Amino acid sequence: MFNFGAKPNSKIAVVPPKIRLEKAAPAKKPQPLPSKIATRPAPRPHEPTRTSSSKIRTSPATPDRLEPRKRKAVRQKSPAQQRIESDSDDDDTVGTPASFDEPSKRHKPSVDVDLKRELRYKQEAYKEHDGVFPIIHAADIASTTRKSKKVTTIEEKNVTVELQYPGASQRERYDLVFGREQIDPAHEIYTIAKTVANVYMTEEEAVLFTDPNTGLIRKLERAMNLLSRKNKDEELLDGFKTAVDNYNKALKVLLNDGSLSKNLDKMHHLPFEMVRLILRQVYDRAVSPQVDILKRTKDNKDNTYGELLAHFVTMIIEETQLKSDQVFVDLGSGVGNVVLQTALEVGCESWGCEMMPNACDLADAQEKEFSARCRLWGIKPGKVRLERDDFTRNVAIHEAIKRADVILVNNEVFSQALNANLVQLFLDVKDKCKIVSLKPLSADSKIKSRTFNDPSNLFEVVQKQYFEDFVSWKHEGGDYYISTKDDTRLQKFSHLG
Ligand SMILES: C[S@@+](CC[C@H](N)C(=O)[O-])C[C@H]1O[C@@H](n2cnc3c(N)ncnc32)[C@H](O)[C@@H]1O
């Protein structure tokens, strides 16, 4: 079924291509991850829609189902806010100590660790411009000037607070506003603080932050809960600002004495929750404010937009065993979400190619914010390169395809003609290169697959399943395919011809 077209003069013998179906768990949500780092869902170009079918083969997605949808106006409540609503008026201890990550639950990688992966952004690089570089501050998105509900009734009250990150750089500016903004400043600050303590510190160092009764994060949580409840109270506003200042000071000590760098140098893997948090920060700042422009596309099936969500990308990374010294290519990379995730999560060289101008603009904005934000977090991602072009014609991407170890093509709604074009690009991939696609590239499974010279004979194809809520355009899970180039098949069968 996975038909790569025919090479007319080849002497390769007949090997009917097979798609091996791997037994997988029924499509359902993944198990909750061990870490309790809470993050809010980022608005994607379209919310998952409920449809009756889960199988791509039996019910191909129509362009309609992939069209961007207006995001819901209702904001999801943070866990802290939800707790507040069920507690009594005077309670300032609504967040229970149990909501903290116990030292025993601190991050431990569960995947094969890639020892070649270096995570730390080099300290010397911060010396340039005293660690100050352009970022989109949270206050640029959620601020008093953007019609949010003010946190205080006093007009001139300064609602700005600055947060220190683990990188030796400038702080991020947050305006403590509670409105219908995507970014919930207090909750994001609290989530970042928990993540930093969980990932960047030894258990000993983390105690000052995570002690369930006296820790700086506990104090931050308590102040956040009170403020969320009475967000016009000046004293509570000052209380939260003080908690952030104290956190900043304590973090700065570990930053300045080199403890954070030392710890990061011993690590070779980032927890998924942290990857997702950074990517959401980038998306919230660079894409969400203008996500509607993705709707303004030409009426062309090939350019229908939809995204693989972060869990799916992580599953692809694990299934293909993508490593930091390898090359990843996304053909039709949209706003660059998959390219950025592989660069951050794996540290590999990541390429994307996209032709739709609006998506390219958002991808460029994301790339810029991504690289700045990685510096804030003190993390070195893999090299990112985004081409603004038609991937069937772009020379740079063709060269990258030849060096690629993993290629993604989210071809759920690509036309047959485009899939046929893709086939030609894959003739030159290197041995063991893995091509991940959402649909077999050719609907024509009968004739060419039985010909002598069908290039699909060079690929071992495995059909796999993805879970519910793994893609942005529908709720259900579905099938995807991993085709691995295997030169030994060619050698083996050429004797038979
Ligand atoms: C469904 S989106 C996938 C986005 C991203 N790869 C993901 O999976 O999250 C497919 C993208 O491929 C792009 N595309 C289609 N044909 C293309 C071509 N010939 N060259 C470059 N991009 C193309 C579309 O414009 C669209 O943005």
Side-chain angles (χ1 to χ4, degrees):
M1 245 170 123
F2 205 105
N3 196 325
F4 285 84
K7 257 187 191 163
N9 300 320
S10 169
K11 296 226 165 62
I12 307 167
V14 179
V15 184
K18 283 182 219 121
I19 295 179
R20 183 155 59 82
L21 174 61
E22 283 212 343
K23 292 278 175 214
K28 61 175 186 186
K29 275 189 187 162
Q31 292 299 307
L33 290 145
S35 167
K36 289 183 180 171
I37 297 167
T39 52
R40 304 166 66 240
R44 312 312 292 195
H46 20 264
E47 303 278 315
T49 50
R50 306 269 162 179
T51 53
S52 57
S53 168
S54 65
K55 293 273 181 191
I56 296 169
R57 281 170 304 165
T58 53
S59 174
T62 64
D64 276 357
R65 269 168 50 197
L66 286 182
E67 250 168 43
R69 300 180 59 215
K70 193 108 191 136
R71 94 170 115 103
K72 283 179 196 157
V74 183
R75 267 187 36 207
Q76 196 173 317
K77 287 174 186 141
S78 70
Q81 285 169 313
Q82 286 165 359
R83 282 196 298 275
I84 285 162
E85 284 173 11
S86 61
D87 275 291
S88 76
D89 277 6
D90 305 324
D91 190 358
D92 70 341
T93 57
V94 283
T96 64
S99 67
F100 282 89
D101 290 294
E102 304 296 333
S104 61
K105 290 177 189 154
R106 291 162 56 73
H107 169 65
K108 291 197 181 73
S110 58
V111 293
D112 283 351
V113 177
D114 174 5
L115 293 174
K116 289 189 193 143
R117 173 86 202 267
E118 286 175 13
L119 286 171
R120 183 160 68 86
Y121 192 87
K122 293 287 171 256
Q123 217 63 19
E124 310 78 62
Y126 290 108
K127 293 199 178 116
E128 207 184 317
H129 309 300
D130 286 335
V132 180
F133 42 84
I135 60 166
I136 305 173
H137 291 269
D140 299 332
I141 304 294
S143 74
T144 50
T145 54
R146 292 173 60 89
K147 295 193 186 121
S148 297
K149 207 164 85 192
K150 282 192 179 139
V151 76
T152 171
T153 46
I154 299 178
E155 291 291 317
E156 62 274 19
K157 182 77 194 169
N158 180 9
V159 295
T160 304
V161 66
E162 294 195 335
L163 182 71
Q164 178 66 51
Y165 278 76
S169 61
Q170 81 227 43
R171 297 178 176 184
E172 177 163 17
R173 219 173 46 249
Y174 286 83
D175 273 359
L176 296 170
V177 289
F178 294 81
R180 297 172 78 83
E181 304 284 357
Q182 178 55 30
I183 298 173
D184 174 344
H187 190 258
E188 186 174 293
I189 290 171
Y190 165 70
T191 305
I192 291 166
K194 271 176 76 172
T195 307
V196 170
N198 216 15
V199 176
Y200 288 70
M201 298 176 197
T202 63
E203 290 187 11
E204 244 176 24
E205 289 158 358
V207 172
L208 174 67
F209 294 80
T210 58
D211 182 277
N213 298 311
T214 60
L216 293 165
I217 295 171
R218 175 74 191 118
K219 289 181 180 155
L220 203 53
E221 186 186 32
R222 198 178 283 137
M224 170 184 73
N225 288 342
L226 289 169
L227 187 59
S228 308
R229 176 135 208 187
K230 293 184 185 163
N231 60 36
K232 292 185 198 294
D233 187 311
E234 256 191 86
E235 254 181 58
L236 297 182
L237 173 72
D238 287 338
F240 185 79
K241 287 167 86 171
T242 304
V244 175
D245 278 348
N246 290 339
Y247 166 82
N248 285 342
K249 280 184 200 137
L251 184 65
K252 195 83 181 160
V253 171
L254 295 176
L255 182 65
N256 289 346
D257 72 9
S259 303
L260 300 182
S261 300
K262 207 169 84 191
N263 296 338
L264 213 49
D265 281 343
K266 290 184 194 145
M267 286 171 54
H268 301 282
H269 176 259
L270 290 176
F272 173 74
E273 291 82 355
M274 179 167 150
V275 169
R276 189 171 52 172
L277 173 58
I278 297 175
L279 294 172
R280 276 189 182 161
Q281 286 192 307
V282 173
Y283 198 97
D284 281 348
R285 285 152 180 79
V287 178
S288 299
Q290 334 170 52
V291 75
D292 283 352
I293 70 167
L294 282 176
K295 283 200 287 192
R296 289 180 229 137
T297 56
K298 282 183 287 176
D299 193 16
N300 176 350
K301 192 170 176 245
D302 290 336
N303 297 124
T304 309
Y305 194 72
E307 286 171 12
L308 304 191
L309 301 181
H311 272 298
F312 193 0
V313 178
T314 296
M315 187 160 90
I316 290 172
I317 288 170
E318 286 171 10
E319 291 281 356
T320 57
Q321 298 188 26
L322 185 60
K323 295 283 182 286
S324 60
D325 56 357
Q326 294 190 323
V327 178
F328 170 80
V329 177
D330 182 2
L331 297 175
S333 45
V335 300
N337 51 315
V338 185
V339 175
L340 300 182
Q341 184 168 343
T342 48
L344 179 60
E345 191 163 340
V346 180
C348 61
E349 183 181 327
S350 290
W351 288 74
C353 186
E354 172 59 51
M355 66 187 296
M356 203 161 55
N358 291 344
C360 290
D361 290 346
L362 293 177
D364 288 346
Q366 281 222 99
E367 186 192 3
K368 211 163 140 218
E369 183 61 20
F370 172 79
S371 108
R373 214 146 266 280
C374 286
R375 281 170 87 176
L376 277 186
W377 283 90
I379 298 294
K380 186 176 91 175
K383 201 170 132 196
V384 170
R385 178 98 177 252
L386 297 174
E387 292 293 309
R388 191 183 260 264
D389 205 353
D390 179 338
F391 58 64
T392 61
R393 293 196 207 128
N394 185 275
V395 177
I397 211 76
H398 292 176
E399 290 307 311
I401 286 172
K402 287 184 200 153
R403 297 193 297 118
D405 297 282
V406 178
I407 298 172
L408 168 70
V409 51
N410 179 348
N411 59 340
E412 172 100 11
V413 292
F414 281 5
S415 62
Q416 222 170 320
L418 183 56
N419 278 332
N421 268 336
L422 274 172
V423 159
Q424 297 306 315
L425 293 179
F426 296 151
L427 296 178
D428 287 335
V429 300
K430 67 183 190 186
D431 190 33
K432 305 291 177 244
C433 173
K434 297 184 174 81
I435 298 162
V436 180
S437 63
L438 266 74
K439 255 189 3 190
L441 291 188
S442 169
D444 180 0
S445 62
K446 290 179 202 150
I447 308 159
K448 288 181 185 157
S449 65
R450 295 187 192 287
T451 59
F452 239 27
N453 35 33
D454 184 345
S456 63
N457 293 333
L458 302 176
F459 288 82
E460 160 103 13
V461 186
V462 181
Q463 183 182 349
K464 297 201 169 257
Q465 283 180 290
Y466 62 86
F467 299 109
E468 284 176 358
D469 295 329
F470 265 37
V471 296
S472 70
W473 60 90
K474 66 174 181 179
H475 167 68
E476 288 82 6
D479 298 333
Y480 72 106
Y481 303 83
I482 300 183
S483 307
T484 307
K485 174 93 176 292
D486 182 358
D487 283 347
T488 62
R489 286 168 69 91
L490 174 68
Q491 287 152 15
K492 204 160 53 189
F493 297 117
S494 59
H495 302 306
L496 304 173

